[in-house]
Amino acid sequence: MAEKKYTIILAAGKGTRMKSKLYKVLHEVAGKPMVDHVLTQVEQVHPDTIVTVVGHGAEAVEAELGDRSQFVVQEQQLGTGHAVLQAESILGDKEGMTLIANGDTPLLTAQTFEKLFAYHRDKGAKATILTAKAPDPTGYGRIVRGELGTVQKIVEQKDATPEEAKIDEINTGVFCFDNQALFSALHETTNNNAQGEYYLTDVIEILKRRGDVIAAYKMKNFDESQGVNDRVALASATKVMRKRINEQHMRDGVTIIDPENTYIDVDVKIGNDTIIEPGVYLNGKTVIGSDCVIGSNTVITDSTIEDGVHTLSSTIEDSIMRQGSNVGPNSHLRPKSDIGAGVHIGNFCEIKNATLGENTKVGHLTYVGDATLGKDINIGCGVVFVNYDGVHKFHSNVGDKAFIGSNSNIVAPVDIADHAFVAAGSTITKDIPFHAMGIARERQTNKEDFWDRLPLADSEDWK
C-alpha cells in the first residue's frame, strides 16, 4: 500500500512589502494568483489531503481556491512553525509524508514536488529540505552539510559565520516531513529568538537531536525557488513564468516570432502551426486553434479563436471568432461577439453582443452592437447600429445577403429582411421587407447661384 501524502500550503501573510491592498498570495503571475499556481502544481502529485493556512485575507483566498483545499486560520502571525501547527486538527493523527510549500512561490513544479517526495521516501528521512544552488545566496538560509554530505543544520544569513556565508546551497523554504514527527517536534519549538516567532526550521534541529535522518534534495533549477515579497520579485517571477509558458508552446508546434515580447497567460491553449507575432497578449482562458496568425499588438482575453483565423492589432474580449474569419487592424470585439466563419472585420470597427453570420463583411469604421446579422451581408463604411436610447438597449436583425450602404444608422429595434437594401446615408427606423430598399434621407436640392449670397463673395480671397 502506497504511503499517504499530504500537503500544507502557507498563505497567511499579508505581504507588507508589496504595499498593496491585495493580499500577497493573490497577486497574479501570468494570469493566475500565486497561491493558485502552487495549488495547481500540488494537485498534480495527487495528495490525499491539502490544507491551506490562511490569515490575512482569509475569505478572499478561500473564495479563490474554493473546494480544492481545506482551510485553517492562523489568527496571529507568530511564525512559520506556528502556521503549520494550525493544520494539526486535520493532519495531526495521520501517518504519511507531508509536503510544506509557500503560497508565494509560484514557479515550483509538480515534477519537483514528486522528486522531493521520492527522495524523502528513499532516504528513510524524517525531514527532507528542498535546496538549490543560488547564484547569489544573500538573504537565504544556508545548508550546512557534514563530511559525508548529510545535513548538519540550516543557518540563517544573520547567524552565519564568514565561512558559512560562502555556502551557495540555500533553503528554498519547501520541506517534506514524516507527518507525525513534524507535529510532535512542532510542540517542542520555542519563540526564543529576535523575532519572537516559532520557526519551522527549528523542527530540523529538534529532529536531528532525536537522531532522526535529515535529508536535503538539491533541485537543478534555482529559478523555481523564487519567492515573491515585493513588486520587483513579482516582475522577476512573471518573466520566468512567461518564458516557461512560451517555450512549452513552441515545443508543441506554435511559432512565436519574438518570445521576449509575447505575453501568454498560463491557462491559454494554442494549436500547432499558429504564428504569434510580437507584442501580442493572450490572457485568461483564451483558446486559439491551429493555422492562425495572431498579428502584432493584438490583445485577446477569455476568447475562443478557431482554426485559420487572422487578427492584427485588435482587441478581443470574451468573444468567439469562427474558422477562417479575420479582424483588424485596430478593431475591437467587445464581450459576447460571435464572429462567423469567413467573416471579415476590417479596421476601426467595434462589435458588441452581436452575432455575424458566415462570410459577412464589415469593412471599416463601423459599430455593430446588440444585433444578429445573417450570412453574406455587406456592411458599408461608417454604419452605426444605434442600440441605446439612454435608458434601454434594443436589438436589430439583418437577414442573409442584405446590403447596408455607407454612413447609415440602423436605429433599433428593426428587422431588415433577407436580400434587403439600405441606401447610403439613411437613418432606418422601420423594418425593411424582402428584396426592398430602405431609403431615409431628404432628396437632394441644389440651390442655384448660392455663391452670390456669401458675404465675402466679392472678396479677392474667395475668387
Side-chain angles (χ1 to χ4, degrees):
M1 183 176 177
E3 189 173 3
K4 296 280 190 178
K5 294 187 292 189
Y6 314 105
T7 299
I8 299 172
I9 300 173
L10 304 182
K14 184 178 180 180
T16 54
R17 281 182 280 175
M18 298 296 287
K19 294 183 171 58
S20 174
K21 295 181 288 296
L22 183 67
Y23 295 104
K24 180 171 70 169
V25 298
L26 294 179
H27 280 266
E28 290 192 353
V29 171
K32 181 181 286 188
M34 290 191 287
V35 69
D36 194 341
H37 279 289
V38 177
L39 178 56
T40 297
Q41 297 302 312
V42 163
E43 287 171 328
Q44 294 178 40
V45 304
H46 307 294
D48 295 275
T49 304
I50 301 172
V51 181
T52 301
V53 183
V54 294
H56 290 295
E59 292 181 358
V61 176
E62 290 180 28
E64 180 65 40
L65 302 184
D67 60 3
R68 297 162 60 194
S69 171
Q70 297 185 54
F71 298 93
V72 294
V73 179
Q74 185 186 24
E75 298 287 355
Q76 293 179 284
Q77 308 301 296
L78 300 177
T80 52
H82 179 261
V84 173
L85 195 58
Q86 307 313 300
E88 187 175 31
S89 59
I90 297 175
L91 298 178
D93 61 347
K94 298 184 182 298
E95 293 184 357
M97 303 179 289
T98 297
L99 169 73
I100 299 176
N102 295 299
D104 61 358
T105 52
L107 299 172
L108 287 164
T109 65
Q111 292 82 0
T112 295
F113 292 149
E114 286 280 19
K115 290 176 181 177
L116 178 61
F117 272 126
Y119 191 87
H120 175 81
R121 182 176 55 247
D122 293 345
K123 293 295 182 182
K126 292 295 184 182
T128 303
I129 310 158
L130 182 65
T131 71
K133 184 176 181 179
D136 178 6
T138 304
Y140 290 95
R142 310 301 206 279
I143 303 299
V144 180
R145 294 180 182 264
E147 291 181 1
L148 300 177
T150 56
V151 176
Q152 298 296 308
K153 59 182 176 178
I154 302 173
V155 179
E156 298 302 321
Q157 172 81 33
K158 61 181 179 298
D159 300 322
T161 66
E163 285 302 311
E164 290 169 340
K166 295 177 182 178
I167 297 171
D168 62 2
E169 185 181 4
I170 57 95
N171 171 27
T172 67
V174 178
F175 301 88
C176 188
F177 289 98
D178 173 90
N179 188 66
Q180 292 192 343
L182 166 65
F183 286 104
S184 171
L186 280 171
H187 285 286
E188 296 183 27
T189 60
T190 70
N191 63 347
N192 185 23
N193 52 62
Q195 301 299 320
E197 295 183 349
Y198 298 89
Y199 293 137
L200 180 59
T201 50
D202 288 348
V203 170
I204 302 297
E205 183 62 30
I206 291 167
L207 294 178
K208 186 171 179 58
R209 286 200 303 266
R210 292 180 182 178
D212 292 327
V213 175
I214 308 299
Y217 172 68
K218 186 191 294 185
M219 62 181 181
K220 294 181 179 179
N221 186 357
F222 170 75
D223 284 343
E224 274 194 48
S225 68
Q226 288 188 40
V228 175
N229 289 312
D230 58 23
R231 307 292 180 125
V232 175
L234 183 67
S236 177
T238 298
K239 185 174 183 179
V240 173
M241 181 68 76
R242 293 203 184 280
K243 183 175 185 289
R244 181 187 297 175
I245 291 167
N246 289 354
E247 287 179 354
Q248 186 59 54
H249 283 300
M250 289 187 285
R251 291 190 184 99
D252 289 340
V254 177
T255 296
I256 300 178
I257 292 174
D258 184 359
E260 292 187 359
N261 290 289
T262 300
Y263 309 94
I264 303 175
D265 282 354
V266 66
D267 288 329
V268 171
K269 302 183 186 306
I270 309 173
N272 65 337
D273 290 322
T274 283
I275 298 171
I276 311 293
E277 294 183 350
V280 166
Y281 289 77
L282 303 178
N283 302 324
K285 297 187 180 298
T286 291
V287 177
I288 295 175
S290 297
D291 302 302
C292 297
V293 177
I294 309 302
S296 295
N297 304 314
T298 293
V299 179
I300 304 177
T301 303
D302 293 325
S303 296
T304 298
I305 309 298
E306 293 187 350
D307 295 348
V309 169
H310 287 212
T311 73
L312 178 59
S313 302
S314 294
T315 298
I316 303 168
E317 308 170 77
D318 192 21
S319 295
I320 181 168
M321 292 188 69
R322 301 189 185 274
Q323 188 168 356
S325 57
N326 64 85
V327 62
N330 303 310
S331 285
H332 188 181
L333 305 186
R334 291 169 57 193
K336 299 181 180 179
S337 296
D338 187 334
I339 309 305
V343 167
H344 166 67
I345 299 172
N347 54 300
F348 298 102
C349 294
E350 183 173 330
I351 315 293
K352 188 271 295 185
N353 190 29
T355 298
L356 279 62
E358 294 178 10
N359 299 316
T360 285
K361 293 178 173 54
V362 183
H364 38 283
L365 298 164
T366 287
Y367 171 69
V368 181
D370 296 284
T372 300
L373 278 58
K375 303 176 182 178
D376 299 302
I377 296 168
N378 187 83
I379 307 291
C381 176
V383 171
V384 175
F385 280 71
V386 184
N387 58 331
Y388 184 48
D389 66 0
V391 179
H392 301 292
K393 298 286 179 68
F394 296 93
H395 197 89
S396 292
N397 299 293
V398 181
D400 296 345
K401 297 187 178 180
F403 183 96
I404 311 297
S406 296
N407 200 37
S408 296
N409 298 311
I410 311 301
V411 183
V414 294
D415 291 330
I416 299 172
D418 294 350
H419 298 264
F421 298 81
V422 172
S426 294
T427 295
I428 301 300
T429 59
K430 297 178 182 179
D431 294 351
I432 303 175
F434 180 74
H435 273 187
M437 181 178 74
I439 181 167
R441 63 187 187 218
E442 187 174 343
R443 187 178 296 277
Q444 180 174 331
T445 301
N446 293 334
K447 302 294 184 180
E448 300 294 337
D449 299 321
F450 184 75
W451 174 267
D452 294 334
R453 303 182 191 181
L454 296 176
L456 299 178
D458 294 331
S459 169
E460 290 296 325
D461 293 337
W462 283 67
K463 290 182 180 180

